[in-house]
Amino acid sequence: MSDPIIPFQILALSGGGFRGLFTARILADIEEEIGAPIATRFDLIAGTSIGGILALALALEIPAIDLVKLFEKNGNKIFKKQFSLGGLWSAPYTQSALHELLSADDLFGNRTLGNCKHRIIIPSINYSTGLPVIFKTPHHPNFVRDYKHQLVDVALATSAAPGFFPRHVFDDCQYVDGGLYANAPGLLAAHEAQHFLDQKRDALRVVSIGTMSSKFTVDPRRERSGGVRDWGRWWPPNMPKRLFGVAISAHESMVHNILSHRFPSSQYFHIDEDLTDERARAVALDKTDSSAQEVLLGAAKQCSKGWLGNSAFRELLKYKAPAALFHRGPNANIGEHHA
């Protein structure tokens, strides 16, 4: 008789700028239902861009409702335009407001990846080398450096969206948004669990939460030359924004399809909402007004209501993850660095 399968549960949070308010509200509703930090139900958390910022906060067991309030109160500060000649001279937004918010003692402060209570992976791109990077807690003996990085730097590195924010520089390298190759990080997280944490595919349970990502499509009535004027429409500097939107939208769909093929419905839960034409006009990566908030919060509440009424999902939330094993840093509890 075979041994029972011990689950290994993954939470994957997608990027999407201010649309992350949708994700945060769902997370807060789940925490209210279970009466505990949502991170206690998962063995590994992955997040990209705004999903990465949320993931880092969850790994510290900061209540998700606090993140909802952060979005509602400070969205207009984060996406306050600077003089940039419409994005032609420089990025239209700075990361100064976000840096200040994240540096508060009740959020990330001076804490590092090594201070996280739960395993986490955060994708970014090292533009100085041209290579993708994944910042990780020290949950494997070979992970010897990332745990020293400050959470603020990791958060800004994963969320430096081209066309919106400048590149984030730390540790003598320039970083850009991980959404360019891993906007939906569930596939990376499944690989992490299998390759570095020795988990079998049958044991994995993946919960992926999106950000109401818009599907970027072409108007067949428009020109199709493919030049800057075509992609940027009425203002050429919009070209990088639109290309970034196409990239993260297409990646989101691709990962969803692959995970749907790799895992049966009992192992893969994709939580997201499609945008209707009318709602799509109200929301965007950098829209923070009351209309955007109404759409995102309203959709999130209806979405979480449906999922919290799903018996299979409720069963998944009954699982309590064992304490994570860390090889280095302040939370080291295994190996030669464990005092």
Side-chain angles (χ1 to χ4, degrees):
M1 186 174 180
S2 60
D3 294 331
I5 295 174
I6 299 175
F8 186 94
Q9 298 197 163
I10 293 169
L11 177 63
L13 307 177
S14 297
F18 191 74
R19 295 198 309 258
L21 176 59
F22 171 83
T23 312
R25 181 69 258 183
I26 289 175
L27 294 168
D29 289 349
I30 294 173
E31 288 193 337
E32 181 181 5
E33 177 66 22
I34 65 177
I38 192 172
T40 62
R41 299 319 195 241
F42 292 92
D43 300 282
L44 176 64
I45 304 173
T48 303
S49 198
I50 187 57
I53 295 174
L54 293 173
L56 291 168
L58 296 183
L60 294 174
E61 296 190 358
I62 294 172
I65 190 62
D66 291 354
L67 305 175
V68 173
K69 294 174 182 176
L70 186 75
F71 272 94
E72 293 177 317
K73 182 179 179 181
N74 299 291
N76 61 333
K77 296 178 184 178
I78 297 170
F79 289 98
K80 182 180 180 180
K81 288 190 176 181
Q82 65 171 340
F83 177 74
S84 63
L85 289 179
L88 185 63
W89 184 257
S90 61
Y93 309 108
T94 73
Q95 287 187 313
S96 58
L98 182 58
H99 185 283
E100 182 179 351
L101 291 168
L102 297 179
S103 298
D105 289 338
D106 60 348
L107 203 60
F108 296 163
N110 292 320
R111 286 181 282 190
T112 66
L113 268 177
N115 291 117
C116 290
K117 300 176 183 179
H118 304 272
R119 299 184 191 94
I120 195 167
I121 62 171
I122 306 290
S124 182
I125 293 176
N126 186 332
Y127 193 42
S128 297
T129 64
L131 297 174
V133 297
I134 305 175
F135 299 109
K136 304 178 182 183
T137 46
H139 52 261
H140 187 277
N142 291 348
F143 300 165
V144 299
R145 294 184 59 189
D146 288 357
Y147 75 94
K148 299 177 182 179
H149 294 323
Q150 291 202 341
L151 294 176
V152 172
D153 282 322
V154 175
L156 296 178
T158 190
S159 60
F164 295 90
F165 294 105
R167 297 185 286 276
H168 181 61
V169 181
F170 83 99
D171 204 24
D172 296 317
C173 291
Q174 300 182 38
Y175 292 90
V176 294
D177 199 303
L180 284 169
Y181 77 98
N183 197 60
L187 198 58
L188 285 180
H191 173 77
E192 185 78 13
Q194 292 181 270
H195 185 75
F196 291 105
L197 296 168
D198 297 322
Q199 297 297 317
K200 303 299 182 184
R201 186 169 67 174
D202 289 348
L204 302 187
R205 308 287 184 270
V206 182
V207 176
S208 176
I209 305 181
T211 57
M212 299 187 74
S213 298
S214 302
K215 302 296 186 294
F216 282 78
T217 57
V218 68
D219 183 345
R221 298 169 297 181
R222 295 183 58 82
E223 64 172 286
R224 55 198 70 191
S225 61
V228 173
R229 188 168 67 89
D230 178 13
W231 279 100
R233 294 186 176 177
W234 62 272
W235 184 240
N238 282 338
M239 177 178 175
K241 286 186 178 182
R242 187 157 183 84
L243 287 175
F244 182 69
V246 170
I248 64 175
S249 174
H251 180 268
E252 189 99 21
S253 297
M254 179 196 71
V255 169
H256 171 53
N257 287 335
I258 292 176
L259 290 175
S260 296
H261 296 161
R262 290 190 63 183
F263 299 106
S265 59
S266 60
Q267 290 181 248
Y268 175 52
F269 301 81
H270 184 234
I271 302 175
D272 205 355
E273 283 287 319
D274 290 328
L275 282 168
T276 62
D277 290 343
E278 292 299 323
R279 292 197 301 181
R281 295 188 183 98
V283 302
L285 188 148
D286 56 350
K287 285 188 178 181
T288 65
D289 58 23
S290 59
S291 296
Q293 292 192 28
E294 178 181 321
V295 169
L296 294 167
L297 291 171
K301 290 173 184 176
Q302 288 300 308
C303 188
S304 62
K305 176 182 177 180
W307 279 99
L308 289 171
N310 180 294
S311 58
F313 187 66
R314 289 178 63 86
E315 189 65 27
L316 177 145
L317 293 175
K318 292 179 182 179
Y319 171 79
K320 295 184 181 179
L325 299 178
F326 294 118
H327 294 264
R328 291 173 174 79
N331 291 332
N333 53 12
I334 188 174
E336 60 183 289
H337 295 271
H338 172 45

